[in-house]
């Protein structure tokens, strides 16, 4: 049982769309800026968006007819991305298993329209298919931006399978198609894996480096720091847990560092340092955050207390829910609960910070996937939660959000007005004021 929690969920449910059959933890992705694609196990793909109907924004869920997906197919995973500049276009990947009676055959379909003017048209993209038969059962389909050469960038697919391998798919622009290439050529940290990878995450950091994390079916967690220019593995770590790993998520955490030059600084004006952390969730154990993995590897674990009290954790997301610049941890569980944890700064210099459970929200079915995006185009993002029964859309209170923007504008103006006359107006002051004004305009128009 979870302890009594004083905080309440800051979201209100705006809509719920029931699907014809259930999905899974790989079954939801963002497609473009304001659309979602949800895949059901019975071969259906639903596009969810908000449309202006009768002068009101209304949620619309519409099935998209992707070609070369048989009616008896079972969709395993779906993912989509916009091509890295200067290239243009939306790419959608769908893995499924076709049951032919005698045997089940897995496939990967990659959809991309190269016709000028149709690169982002989902209906046209759904008719332009590259069909690849697989020799393994697929799991997570994931995309990441690859950095190589002199500032070159390209977004690629990574697909995990039951063959204990990660498969790498890169676009061949001259042939207008995607091809599988050896993963060790660009991701040497994914060459030799101890088990089937259930979840993968990649985060690019400064100096042309990246952090790569994966979680395996046998409970193994892998982490690597890689120089992308080689690519070259700078450091790598492994740890073993007692149950299958459901998700891994790399995320930054901003920590205050007080400036020694405080003659004209307000008490709350401090500089910040960014550390990179790894969230690991499993099907039985508590969720764990490994702090400052870039420098410390996996030697600084912090457990998220009571995160093991709501059955298996199936999904996780790191987002700034209260607009304070610090990411909160959202956990979706098979026990039908959404849990929110917030990092609490340490009191003393020798103490470790902790993640505190702030609130819990219950649903009527297990949670499978979470995405945070601006579906309505008003500048304030919505929380999309895929459950076994369908898709929930939760919204911030626009009144509370607008009040928060106005309060922060007032605070910023007061700080600038109260500053000593010999204190210069800094670039940071201007940037903060401009950002607050823009946020206020976005909130007011909504």
């Amino acid at each position: 049982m979870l302890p009594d929690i004083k905080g309440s969920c800051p979201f209100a449910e705006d809509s719920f769309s029931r699907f014809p059959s259930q999905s899974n933890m790989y079954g939801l992705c963002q497609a473009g800026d304001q659309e979602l694609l949800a895949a059901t196990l019975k071969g259906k793909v639903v596009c969810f968006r908000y449309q202006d109907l009768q002068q009101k924004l209304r949620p619309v869920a519409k099935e998209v007819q992707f070609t070369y997906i048989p009616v008896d197919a079972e969709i395993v995973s779906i993912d989509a991305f916009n091509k890295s500049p200067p290239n243009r276009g939306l790419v959608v990947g769908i893995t499924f298993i076709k049951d032919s009676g005698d045997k089940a055959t897995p496939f990967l379909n990659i959809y991309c329209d190269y016709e000028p003017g149709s690169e982002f048209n989902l209906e046209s993209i759904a008719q332009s298919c590259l069909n690849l038969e697989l020799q393994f059962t697929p799991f997570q389909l994931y995309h990441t931006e690859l950095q190589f050469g002199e500032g070159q960038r390209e977004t690629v697919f990574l697909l995990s399978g039951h063959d204990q391998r990660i498969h790498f798919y890169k676009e061949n622009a001259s042939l207008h198609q995607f091809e599988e290439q050896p993963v060790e050529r660009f991701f040497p940290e994914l060459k030799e894996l101890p088990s089937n990878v259930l979840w993968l995450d990649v985060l690019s950091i400064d100096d042309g480096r990246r952090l790569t994390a994966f979680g395996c079916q046998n409970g193994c967690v892998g982490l690597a720091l890689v120089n992308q220019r080689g690519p070259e593995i700078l450091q790598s770590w492994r740890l073993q847990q007692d149950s299958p790993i459901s998700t891994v998520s790399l995320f930054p955490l901003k920590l205050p560092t007080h400036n020694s030059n405080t003659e004209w600084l307000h008490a709350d004006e401090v500089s910040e340092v960014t550390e990179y952390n790894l969230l690991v969730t499993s099907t039985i154990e508590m969720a764990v955050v490994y702090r400052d993995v870039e420098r410390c590897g996996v030697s600084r674990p912090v457990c998220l207390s009571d995160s093991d009290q709501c059955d298996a954790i199936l999904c996780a997301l790191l987002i700034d829910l209260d607009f304070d610049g610090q990411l909160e941890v959202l956990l979706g569980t098979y026990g039908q609960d959404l849990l929110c944890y917030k990092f609490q700064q340490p009191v003393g210099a020798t103490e470790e910070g902790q993640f505190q459970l702030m609130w819990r929200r219950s649903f009527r079915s297990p949670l499978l996937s979470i995405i945070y995006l601006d579906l309505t185009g008003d500048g304030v993002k919505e929380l999309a939660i895929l459950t076994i029964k369908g898709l929930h859309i939760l919204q911030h209170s626009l009144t509370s959000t607008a009040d928060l923007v106005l309060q922060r504008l007032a605070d910023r103006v007061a700080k600038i007005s109260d500053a000593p006359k010999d204190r210069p107006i800094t670039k940071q002051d201007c940037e903060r004021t401009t950002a607050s004004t823009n946020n206020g305009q976005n909130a007011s128009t909504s």
Side-chain angles (χ1 to χ4, degrees):
M1 291 289 292
L2 285 171
D4 292 335
I5 306 168
K6 295 180 180 179
S8 60
C9 175
F11 292 95
E13 183 156 337
D14 181 69
S15 68
F16 172 71
S17 300
R18 186 178 294 274
F19 292 157
S21 64
Q22 75 177 60
S23 184
N24 64 27
M25 59 191 292
Y26 305 132
L28 183 68
C29 73
Q30 182 173 346
D33 295 329
Q34 297 177 343
E35 294 181 341
L36 290 167
L37 291 177
T40 66
L41 296 183
K42 292 188 177 179
K44 306 294 184 183
V45 178
V46 177
C47 176
F48 184 91
R49 62 166 70 95
Y50 275 77
Q51 288 186 350
D52 189 353
L53 301 173
Q54 299 178 353
Q55 298 183 339
K56 286 188 178 181
L57 277 178
R58 301 182 186 276
V60 176
K62 179 184 177 182
E63 183 181 344
V64 182
Q65 301 291 338
F66 283 91
T67 57
Y68 295 100
I69 298 181
V71 293
D72 59 348
E74 178 178 319
I75 294 181
V76 178
S77 52
I78 186 170
D79 193 25
F81 62 81
N82 288 335
K83 293 182 181 180
S84 301
N87 298 319
R88 299 180 71 255
L90 175 68
V91 181
V92 179
I94 301 175
T95 69
F96 63 91
I97 297 176
K98 178 183 177 182
D99 188 358
S100 304
D102 297 336
K103 67 173 184 174
T105 306
F107 290 89
L108 166 63
N109 284 1
I110 299 179
Y111 299 87
C112 180
D113 196 332
Y114 292 90
E115 188 70 25
S118 300
E119 300 98 334
F120 296 97
N121 186 313
L122 193 57
E123 298 294 337
S124 299
I125 292 169
Q127 306 305 310
S128 304
C129 175
L130 171 66
N131 180 252
L132 301 173
E133 183 175 344
L134 306 177
Q135 303 303 316
F136 57 91
T137 301
F139 295 141
Q140 183 196 19
L141 181 62
Y142 177 83
H143 72 270
T144 186
E145 189 172 67
L146 192 63
Q147 299 179 18
F148 56 94
E150 296 298 326
Q152 292 179 282
R153 297 173 181 266
E154 183 176 354
T155 306
V156 298
F157 275 129
L158 294 171
L159 175 61
S160 60
H162 89 296
D163 56 354
Q164 295 190 198
R165 293 178 57 199
I166 300 292
H167 299 263
F168 172 74
Y169 298 90
K170 186 174 179 292
E171 183 180 23
N172 185 326
S174 61
L175 297 179
H176 285 188
Q177 66 181 32
F178 281 74
E179 300 173 342
E180 182 174 4
Q181 297 188 16
V183 70
E184 59 270 19
R185 180 180 173 188
F186 293 100
F187 293 89
E189 67 272 31
L190 300 177
K191 182 179 179 181
E192 296 180 359
L193 302 173
S195 177
N196 299 331
V197 172
L198 300 183
W199 204 268
L200 173 71
D201 195 29
V202 180
L203 178 65
S204 293
I205 60 176
D206 54 3
D207 297 330
R209 298 174 301 159
R210 70 167 176 256
L211 287 164
T212 302
F214 58 83
C216 298
Q217 193 170 12
N218 70 348
C220 179
V221 177
L223 174 68
L225 177 64
V226 179
N227 180 353
Q228 300 194 71
R229 296 186 181 93
E232 176 190 5
I233 301 175
L234 303 176
Q235 283 183 285
S236 63
W237 304 266
R238 295 281 174 94
L239 63 94
Q240 185 67 44
Q241 295 198 4
D242 295 329
S243 59
I245 304 301
S246 52
T247 69
V248 293
S249 299
L250 292 156
F251 66 99
L253 194 63
K254 297 179 181 178
L255 301 176
T257 302
H258 289 273
N259 196 321
S260 58
N261 182 14
T262 58
E263 293 181 1
W264 48 264
L265 280 178
H266 289 266
D268 59 342
E269 285 186 333
V270 294
S271 59
E272 294 178 331
V273 61
T274 299
E275 68 173 33
Y276 297 100
N277 305 273
L278 172 63
L279 169 68
V280 177
T281 69
S282 64
T283 56
I284 296 177
E285 301 161 85
M286 280 193 293
V288 182
V289 172
Y290 294 91
R291 297 279 308 280
D292 199 8
V293 294
E294 178 189 357
R295 300 177 183 86
C296 303
V298 292
S299 64
R300 293 179 60 193
V302 178
C303 293
L304 276 58
S305 60
D306 300 310
S307 58
D308 58 345
Q309 299 300 305
C310 301
D311 213 322
I313 300 171
L314 298 183
C315 52
L317 187 65
L318 285 302
I319 54 175
D320 181 10
L321 291 177
D322 53 8
F323 309 111
D324 67 346
Q326 197 76 283
L327 298 179
E328 283 77 50
V329 179
L330 289 183
L331 303 178
T333 71
Y334 192 82
Q336 307 178 14
D337 284 316
L338 178 66
L339 308 178
C340 177
Y341 288 81
K342 186 172 182 63
F343 180 71
Q344 305 296 322
Q345 299 286 357
V347 177
T350 60
E351 297 181 9
E352 284 278 4
Q354 299 293 323
F355 288 85
Q356 180 180 346
L357 180 59
M358 304 302 294
W359 52 261
R360 175 184 69 168
R361 183 188 178 106
S362 296
F363 291 78
R364 294 185 177 181
S365 58
L367 281 66
L368 300 174
S369 183
I370 315 172
I371 293 180
Y372 192 52
L373 75 166
D374 184 7
L375 283 166
T376 56
D378 62 357
V380 181
K381 293 184 178 182
E382 284 75 36
L383 194 63
I385 299 178
L386 180 67
T387 68
I388 283 182
K389 293 184 178 179
L391 183 66
H392 298 260
I393 303 298
L394 308 185
Q395 289 187 329
H396 289 278
S397 166
L398 297 184
T399 302
S400 299
T401 305
D403 289 344
L404 178 62
V405 172
L406 292 174
Q407 182 60 50
R408 290 187 178 174
L409 275 172
D411 292 345
R412 179 53 48 192
V413 171
K415 289 175 182 178
I416 294 176
S417 301
D418 294 342
K421 293 182 180 180
D422 58 347
R423 172 195 166 183
I425 301 299
T426 65
K427 181 180 178 182
Q428 187 180 29
D429 286 328
C430 297
E431 290 176 346
R432 287 178 176 175
T433 304
T434 303
S436 298
T437 304
N438 291 337
N439 289 337
Q441 292 173 348
N442 288 336
S444 299
T445 55
S446 61

